[in-house]
Amino acid sequence: IYYSHPIIPKKAMTILRPVTRLSPSNQDFLDECGIPFSFVLTPFARRSAISQADDDKFNLKRISKARASTRSKIRRASADAYPTNASLISKCTHCGSPLNPMCHFLDQWRIICSICRKTYDADFESQSKLKRISTVGKSSFDNRYGCDKDYQTTASREEYEYKKRYGVTSNKEECEMPLVEYSLPLASIYNHQTQTNDEIFTLPANLCPPLLAVFIDGTSTDGGYYERIAKLLMDMLDDSSGDYKGTRMGIFVMTSGGGLSIFDFTNPGGHLKHLWIDQCPLKVNSKFDDQGEFVSSDSDEFYNVAKLENIMTAEQIFAPLDGSGRVSVENALREIADWTISIRQACQRCNHENSGGVYLGRTLQYFLEFMGRVGYQPSDSHRINRNEYHHDSHDGYSVIDDDESTDKFMFAGGKIFCFLSQAPHEVGNSNLYNLNGRVGLGGFGGSCAEIGRRFSAHVQQEQNMMEDQGQKYSKDIEMGAAVETTSNRSSGASQTSKRNGTHGLELPEMRFLQVDEYYQDIGIASAMNAFAIEIFAFLQSERDLSETDEAYFGIPFLRLLSDRSGGCGSLLSVLPKLSENKEYKRNHDDSMLREVIARSPWKRMTAFGAMLRIRCSRSLEIDDYYQNMSSKYNSNKLAEFYNSNGIFGAVAASPQDNELYLMGACDTTHTLNFDLSITSRNGVVEDTILIDGIHEISMKPCIQTCFAYTTVVKNGNEWVTVRRLRVLTQELELTDDTESIFSSLDTEALAVPMFHKFQHYSFQHGFSALQEYASNWILSVLFCCYRSAQKLQERVNKYGHGIIRSNFFAADRILGIPGSTISAKEVLLGQGHEELQSLPLLVFSLIQSDPLRPNHGDFNPSLDARSAASTNMSNMTPDAIARCIAPRIELWSCVEETQEATSYGVGMNMKDIQNGMLSHFENVSKNELPILFVDTPSSIILYDCQNLFHQTHPSVAIIEDLPATLKKAKTNALKSYRVTPQVYSSFSKHVRMVTPTSDQLTDYLIEDSITSTTHHSFGEWCAIISDILYSETTFYK
């Protein structure tokens, strides 16, 4: 009776990925098993990643049919750009849920909604009451359908199409496919001749372009800072090979005291125009007044400044990157690189010697207000209908009813790049006294540790690692190398209480009050205006890396700008020293350049102005427990702002609708996480429904996501802007059996919610307390798993072996049963359970990850660096975050004929790597050693095992190049991340790569590391867990 037909295949859907393929049927059972009722959502994942339904094949057939039915070649080529109009899809008149395969048809026109479980009428008259079906104009209808012109003049075309669609019994995509995409209008223009609204479904990308707004902090006096930014942006433009998808770019220079200079691209030269913005609207923190640390003349009154539209137009600010517009942008970047002219001109009214940080928040607010007044984008907030039919705009169906959009600057959405040289004026603190946190990787790949200092110590191994011969590794700060200072090693102990704490993460005081709320509101406003904010902070190595004071940008608060707007996460970088050689300066630029390119509007498939609604069947809803719990703690507000109405990730809750979520931009790896709670009075999930109060039918619960977005797609040889609605409905298979839940666990997906839960707990109670919390959680789950096996064995003894699945071995799950193939310790740690055997390593790897590990010894990341690592890691897909905390390590043969790795899943400890090398040397080939392949989001390492093998062999061949299959594996690994990692390779003939060091490898050997608080290795940590479990199981018995 177990596991007969799971509803979701083993290869889980990558758009909505449940932590367990089976769902708990009641609250008591959910509390007992300890596994969160959680889902990982990647809303813009590629359609080809769907494994449950052949949706691409279905749409290909439909598109081919549409092409064959049209005569014009142009119309046939544009068929791909026109999925089914969303207004032609039947929707529940009670909750607004679109028709899906889980709905129950009572007859042709009466349907039971799979979400609210109410019966609604699907006839056109009932559907038209939703006020979301508008008449399609003649020209729009001709382009899309080519119907009889005589009919167009005598009847409503959409009524005709709707009745034609649902008046026949033929299969429809919304009734067969769990994932379907529909077409939404970009705008609606009133046609005075026909007195109808003409809906526009596509526009050339140059008429509705993505935007890139670059804001540069102009308060730095370091010319290298401006040169690097200009070079990064120039290289970003060169990387696209001229294919910018119609993007327009604007450049802004922020100066102290509220100054703002904007490049006017009317002429190819790019002329700077200077203006002032309002002062920060926040009140000065009185604590700083009393201490005299800041002297501020800020008041609650604003300057009487001019609106930006009275000075410049959007067309003057944003230059098209196609054609002559790029020349203007390049000229502007050259002016920035020669900062002695342009930047000093912008700052001529400011006292550069005593200047503070820029008014970042107020500048962004000023810009967003300007775009809200002069611009129009398809997800504009005025499209949200506030009439009595509140579900009318749940998924972005409504369109404007006038020609307002024709008088405005139309754009699809965009990105805002903010380059900072010091903390913004709102943050105020430029240094944290008596602290000396280090930058390390500064958030790149979710890491912030310095190379060779990720762990305070490692388990002592035998002398098995040879020093790299003939290779010297420069102390490259940008790439994570440590910076030697007199206090670098000695300051760790004095900072422990400040950094780790037991009462929540301690943050420094800000110059202004309520900066966190202020930045959060700006992030939400940016999402509503279809902009995502990206933060790039640059430390100057000579000035900012002090031996006694830690430079501080305020990234714990700046991340709210990025997180709430849908950004990819803040980054912290260190400018290379003037003494650094050219090779390592180039590595500096490569690391940041890859990030800048990946976040540009044109590099990856990007959704702009995204609107997300998640609907659940009756008795289920999104759990906002963490949102409500955060208000009980007053240590800081990071815990409160870390969650948006129950959803973790880079997303904002709409101010107008608590059930609607907004993202300014979203790419194919953008990942969110949420839990479900059971809300029925009896604590049971409903899976049946009564019809007419008499007949009871089975109707499984389901979850539906509706994702509306604007994007740029290729239509023939032209880039066009479209708006789409992606509807995914997934059925939930219920169970009340603990063994079923554990056997359906997706450990990789579990890493995402557990990271967010651990991070949220650390904000409230500190990193030291998190270590104990994580241990208690794994103890409860493993104990529940052990008891589950005991109960199942009791049933086996009573009913026989026919009731269990084939891979249940009681001797490997329960102590005292003869025939076990593993030790008693491994039995208690769940190593006899196929799905749970990696759970202890998952928890240990999470608490040892850079964002969650307490500062101790050599591991001493700054507050900014840790926060940057956290915000980048929280946006990763399940497979990426799994490789971030537990890297993929494989051994490959160097023979050209090699087809696959000789050893998969090598343990993350030096002993397992050595054993794998010995096995390969003895059993595979005596003439060559394997190649070590390490795959993480921050770096990919191809290591010559000659440097790890403690005995050299005279017959071992020298490896000159990689086999083709390993090159392909490396390429696939690079493509699996949003940002391609740095490649460290000992084997490169024609490609410039950095040679790896032994320190880099030891940083990824999690099992050899020891914890910061209890100083236990992974083996010792597991031994403590198993001892506690043994005492618990013995006591229970």
Side-chain angles (χ1 to χ4, degrees), residues 191-204:
N191 189 322
H192 294 278
Q193 291 183 343
T194 61
Q195 296 184 353
T196 57
N197 291 325
D198 290 348
E199 292 179 346
I200 301 175
F201 285 85
T202 67
L203 282 172

Side-chain angles (χ1 to χ4, degrees), residues 24 275 294 362-363 375 471 475 534-535 724 872 899 942:
L275 61 147
F294 291 105
R362 185 58 192 144
T363 302
Q471 297 177 1
K475 294 300 182 181
E534 308 288 358
I535 304 293
R724 300 282 172 81
N872 281 274
Q899 297 299 320
L942 296 164

Side-chain angles (χ1 to χ4, degrees), residues 919-983:
S919 175
H920 175 91
F921 186 75
E922 295 174 357
N923 301 327
V924 180
S925 173
K926 295 182 180 297
N927 297 323
E928 51 92 13
L929 284 173
I931 300 170
L932 189 65
F933 177 49
V934 182
D935 176 17
T936 73
S938 58
S939 61
I940 290 179
I941 299 176
L942 296 164
Y943 204 87
D944 186 355
C945 290
Q946 291 270 21
N947 296 323
L948 299 178
F949 199 49
H950 66 282
Q951 292 180 354
T952 58
H953 197 280
S955 62
V956 172
I958 299 176
I959 305 173
E960 295 184 353
D961 202 1
L962 301 176
T965 50
L966 180 53
K967 290 181 180 179
K968 184 177 180 180
K970 182 197 72 173
T971 302
N972 292 337
L974 291 172
K975 291 180 179 179
S976 64
Y977 300 109
R978 169 190 281 129
V979 183
T980 54
Q982 174 70 51
V983 177

Side-chain angles (χ1 to χ4, degrees), residues 378-409:
S379 65
D380 206 338
S381 58
H382 71 266
R383 290 163 55 88
I384 296 180
N385 195 337
R386 300 178 178 84
N387 62 17
E388 57 181 340
Y389 298 101
H390 62 278
H391 56 267
D392 175 53
S393 60
H394 274 194
D395 308 311
Y397 298 134
S398 60
V399 295
I400 57 175
D401 294 328
D402 53 37
D403 56 354
E404 181 183 3
S405 61
T406 59
D407 299 327
K408 291 191 172 185
F409 175 74

Side-chain angles (χ1 to χ4, degrees), residues 28-279:
D28 293 338
F29 172 60
L30 175 60
D31 296 337
E32 176 188 352
C33 68
I35 301 295
F37 191 8
S38 188
F39 293 80
V40 179
L41 175 63
T42 309
F44 199 49
R46 296 188 181 276
R47 296 164 62 90
S48 58
I50 303 165
S51 59
Q52 187 175 20
D54 196 2
D55 193 50
D56 288 331
K57 182 178 180 181
F58 180 88
N59 281 284
L60 180 62
K61 181 179 178 181
R62 176 179 56 81
I63 290 170
S64 300
K65 184 177 179 181
R67 286 177 169 177
S69 62
T70 57
R71 298 178 181 179
S72 171
K73 293 182 179 179
I74 298 177
R75 293 176 186 174
R76 286 202 300 270
S78 63
D80 290 339
Y82 295 103
T84 304
N85 189 347
S87 65
L88 298 177
I89 305 303
S90 174
K91 302 173 183 67
C92 177
T93 56
H94 304 285
C95 68
S97 171
L99 181 63
N100 57 80
M102 288 69 183
C103 293
H104 184 82
F105 278 79
L106 297 176
D107 54 45
Q108 185 176 358
W109 299 105
R110 286 199 308 154
I111 304 173
I112 299 178
C113 176
S114 61
I115 302 298
C116 66
R117 307 302 177 92
K118 297 180 181 179
T119 303
Y120 70 92
D121 295 325
D123 60 280
F124 182 80
E125 288 73 18
S126 300
Q127 292 287 305
S128 61
K129 293 180 181 180
L130 294 176
K131 296 184 179 180
R132 54 169 175 70
I133 300 180
S134 60
T135 303
V136 179
K138 179 177 179 179
S139 59
S140 173
F141 188 81
D142 282 346
N143 289 337
R144 300 183 62 238
Y145 300 105
C147 284
D148 187 270
K149 293 185 178 180
D150 294 334
Y151 176 79
Q152 295 176 26
T153 59
T154 59
S156 169
R157 268 78 63 183
E158 280 206 3
E159 180 178 0
Y160 167 77
E161 287 295 324
Y162 183 86
K163 291 182 178 179
K164 178 181 178 182
R165 183 177 186 82
Y166 290 99
V168 295
T169 58
S170 60
N171 295 333
K172 292 168 279 293
E173 55 185 338
E174 63 269 26
C175 298
E176 292 184 347
M177 302 299 148
L179 174 67
V180 187
E181 281 196 349
Y182 306 112
S183 179
L184 292 173
L186 293 171
S188 179
I189 301 177
Y190 185 74
N191 189 322
H192 294 278
Q193 291 183 343
T194 61
Q195 296 184 353
T196 57
N197 291 325
D198 290 348
E199 292 179 346
I200 301 175
F201 285 85
T202 67
L203 282 172
N206 59 346
L207 297 182
C208 189
L211 302 180
L212 175 59
V214 179
F215 288 81
I216 300 174
D217 182 350
T219 61
S220 174
T221 57
D222 184 356
Y225 161 77
Y226 300 104
E227 291 176 6
R228 188 180 186 195
I229 292 177
K231 186 177 185 304
L232 282 173
L233 296 175
M234 290 284 279
D235 291 344
M236 176 190 69
L237 296 177
D238 293 336
D239 178 79
S240 67
S241 301
D243 197 354
Y244 303 105
K245 299 182 180 179
T247 303
R248 286 174 169 259
M249 182 173 172
I251 301 177
F252 305 75
V253 178
M254 302 175 289
T255 54
S256 60
L260 180 64
S261 299
I262 308 174
F263 278 93
D264 184 349
F265 292 119
T266 304
N267 300 317
H271 175 66
L272 267 177
K273 291 187 177 180
H274 311 286
L275 61 147
W276 294 97
I277 62 169
D278 299 329
Q279 287 190 345

Side-chain angles (χ1 to χ4, degrees), residues 50 130 146 166 214 280 325 462 668 688 690 704 872-873 930 1007:
I50 303 165
L130 294 176
Y166 290 99
V214 179
C280 179
E462 297 180 359
T668 55
T688 59
L690 283 175
Q704 182 184 78
N872 281 274
M873 192 170 168
E1007 296 180 34

